[in-house]
Amino acid sequence: MTTTTTTHETISAEPRTNIPLELPGSQYTYLGEDTEGGHHHLEERSSTIYVTDQPPERYLPSNAPIYWFRVQGVLEHVESLPPRAVRDWVAYVDQKRGWTKPPLLIDASIAHPSEVSR
């Protein structure tokens, strides 16, 4: 029997602003913009979605081997997902808001590390 844990999150009525999310490209995926102007960002380690009012900024820190991504602006929503549920989030947004462009390569960008080495 599998046990499922449900978590509830309290979100204040006041939007949080300038909450940066800074991650190396190996831990970040930009899912895209929905038709209401929300930008969906995935922190891959924790399977957490951040919805903000701004797209990511890509930059290369000095002496860094890979690009990093910085997200700032109004944080509209945070959603912690079970592992491998990002496809469900993409489908949910598609149904509720729609995408300006459907996320590309979603299966490749969220492949589990054990599946990549096969």
Side-chain angles (χ1 to χ4, degrees):
M1 181 176 180
T2 303
T3 303
T4 303
T5 304
T6 303
T7 59
H8 297 280
E9 157 181 326
T10 303
I11 299 176
S12 70
E14 292 294 319
R16 294 179 276 178
T17 59
N18 295 323
I19 298 180
L21 174 65
E22 287 189 287
L23 295 168
S26 61
Q27 299 171 13
Y28 172 83
T29 298
Y30 177 63
L31 298 176
E33 182 180 8
D34 65 41
T35 58
E36 295 180 15
H39 294 270
H40 299 252
H41 314 271
L42 170 64
E43 182 200 351
E44 295 180 9
R45 285 184 311 190
S46 65
S47 293
T48 302
I49 302 287
Y50 295 85
V51 182
T52 67
D53 67 339
Q54 295 186 27
E57 171 193 350
R58 185 177 91 150
Y59 66 99
L60 184 62
S62 59
N63 299 320
I66 62 172
Y67 280 95
W68 279 62
F69 292 87
R70 178 183 298 129
V71 176
Q72 296 180 342
V74 175
L75 181 62
E76 296 175 9
H77 186 76
V78 176
E79 187 78 27
S80 294
L81 301 174
R84 314 228 1 108
V86 176
R87 286 180 205 87
D88 296 335
W89 180 262
V90 170
Y92 172 79
V93 172
D94 190 46
Q95 180 184 25
K96 293 294 183 182
R97 291 184 166 192
W99 294 99
T100 56
K101 289 184 183 177
L104 300 175
L105 302 174
I106 190 66
D107 291 334
S109 67
I110 60 170
H112 191 272
S114 64
E115 293 175 345
V116 173
S117 61
R118 288 183 195 175

